[in-house]
Short mmCIF file of all heavy atoms in Angstrom, two decimals:
data_model
loop_
_atom_site.label_atom_id
_atom_site.label_comp_id
_atom_site.label_asym_id
_atom_site.label_seq_id
_atom_site.Cartn_x
_atom_site.Cartn_y
_atom_site.Cartn_z
N LEU A 408 106.54 85.89 86.24
CA LEU A 408 105.74 85.87 87.46
C LEU A 408 106.44 86.59 88.56
O LEU A 408 105.97 86.67 89.71
CB LEU A 408 105.48 84.41 87.92
CG LEU A 408 104.46 83.61 87.02
CD1 LEU A 408 104.38 82.19 87.48
CD2 LEU A 408 103.07 84.23 87.12
N GLY A 409 107.62 87.16 88.32
CA GLY A 409 108.25 88.08 89.28
C GLY A 409 109.66 87.67 89.80
O GLY A 409 110.21 88.39 90.55
N ALA A 410 110.21 86.56 89.27
CA ALA A 410 111.54 86.19 89.71
C ALA A 410 112.58 87.06 88.98
O ALA A 410 112.39 87.47 87.82
CB ALA A 410 111.84 84.71 89.32
N SER A 411 113.68 87.25 89.70
CA SER A 411 114.81 88.06 89.10
C SER A 411 115.58 87.21 88.19
O SER A 411 116.09 87.69 87.15
CB SER A 411 115.64 88.64 90.24
OG SER A 411 114.90 89.46 91.12
N ALA A 412 115.85 85.95 88.57
CA ALA A 412 116.61 84.98 87.84
C ALA A 412 116.30 83.61 88.38
O ALA A 412 115.61 83.53 89.38
CB ALA A 412 118.10 85.30 87.93
N VAL A 413 116.79 82.59 87.74
CA VAL A 413 116.50 81.24 88.09
C VAL A 413 117.75 80.39 88.25
O VAL A 413 118.71 80.56 87.52
CB VAL A 413 115.65 80.58 86.99
CG1 VAL A 413 115.41 79.10 87.25
CG2 VAL A 413 114.27 81.28 86.85
N GLY A 414 117.80 79.64 89.35
CA GLY A 414 118.92 78.77 89.57
C GLY A 414 118.73 77.36 89.07
O GLY A 414 117.67 76.80 89.06
N VAL A 415 119.82 76.85 88.46
CA VAL A 415 119.81 75.55 87.78
C VAL A 415 120.97 74.71 88.44
O VAL A 415 122.10 75.22 88.32
CB VAL A 415 119.91 75.62 86.24
CG1 VAL A 415 120.10 74.21 85.66
CG2 VAL A 415 118.74 76.39 85.69
N GLY A 416 120.63 73.60 88.99
CA GLY A 416 121.65 72.78 89.63
C GLY A 416 121.90 71.48 88.92
O GLY A 416 122.93 71.31 88.25
N ARG A 417 120.99 70.50 89.08
CA ARG A 417 121.21 69.21 88.52
C ARG A 417 121.47 69.14 87.07
O ARG A 417 122.34 68.46 86.55
CB ARG A 417 119.92 68.32 88.76
CG ARG A 417 119.85 67.81 90.20
CD ARG A 417 118.74 66.77 90.24
NE ARG A 417 118.60 66.09 91.55
CZ ARG A 417 117.74 66.46 92.48
NH1 ARG A 417 116.90 67.53 92.22
NH2 ARG A 417 117.62 65.80 93.61
N ALA A 418 120.82 69.98 86.25
CA ALA A 418 120.95 70.01 84.78
C ALA A 418 122.35 70.29 84.43
O ALA A 418 122.97 69.67 83.55
CB ALA A 418 119.96 70.97 84.14
N PHE A 419 123.01 71.32 85.07
CA PHE A 419 124.39 71.60 84.73
C PHE A 419 125.32 70.57 85.25
O PHE A 419 126.37 70.26 84.66
CB PHE A 419 124.78 73.01 85.34
CG PHE A 419 124.17 74.16 84.63
CD1 PHE A 419 123.68 75.26 85.33
CD2 PHE A 419 124.12 74.26 83.25
CE1 PHE A 419 123.10 76.39 84.65
CE2 PHE A 419 123.54 75.29 82.60
CZ PHE A 419 123.11 76.37 83.26
N MET A 420 125.01 70.04 86.41
CA MET A 420 125.79 68.99 87.00
C MET A 420 125.80 67.72 86.06
O MET A 420 126.91 67.14 85.74
CB MET A 420 125.26 68.56 88.35
CG MET A 420 126.05 67.46 89.01
SD MET A 420 125.29 67.02 90.57
CE MET A 420 123.69 66.42 90.02
N TYR A 421 124.70 67.24 85.56
CA TYR A 421 124.61 66.16 84.61
C TYR A 421 125.40 66.54 83.36
O TYR A 421 125.96 65.57 82.76
CB TYR A 421 123.16 65.84 84.27
CG TYR A 421 122.38 65.24 85.36
CD1 TYR A 421 121.03 65.65 85.59
CD2 TYR A 421 122.92 64.33 86.34
CE1 TYR A 421 120.32 65.10 86.73
CE2 TYR A 421 122.20 63.82 87.33
CZ TYR A 421 120.88 64.17 87.52
OH TYR A 421 120.18 63.64 88.56
N SER A 422 125.41 67.71 82.91
CA SER A 422 126.10 68.10 81.71
C SER A 422 127.66 67.87 81.85
O SER A 422 128.25 67.35 80.90
CB SER A 422 125.86 69.50 81.29
OG SER A 422 126.43 70.49 82.16
N PHE A 423 128.17 68.14 83.05
CA PHE A 423 129.63 67.93 83.19
C PHE A 423 129.93 66.46 83.51
O PHE A 423 130.98 65.96 83.22
CB PHE A 423 130.35 68.92 84.10
CG PHE A 423 130.15 68.70 85.61
CD1 PHE A 423 130.76 67.57 86.25
CD2 PHE A 423 129.44 69.59 86.42
CE1 PHE A 423 130.59 67.44 87.64
CE2 PHE A 423 129.29 69.42 87.69
CZ PHE A 423 129.88 68.33 88.35
N CYS A 424 129.03 65.76 84.23
CA CYS A 424 129.16 64.34 84.46
C CYS A 424 129.25 63.55 83.09
O CYS A 424 130.00 62.63 83.00
CB CYS A 424 128.02 63.78 85.26
SG CYS A 424 127.97 64.29 86.97
#
Side-chain angles (χ1 to χ4, degrees):
L408 290 172
S411 301
V413 173
V415 176
R417 281 188 177 98
F419 288 139
M420 178 183 62
Y421 291 140
S422 70
F423 78 69
C424 288

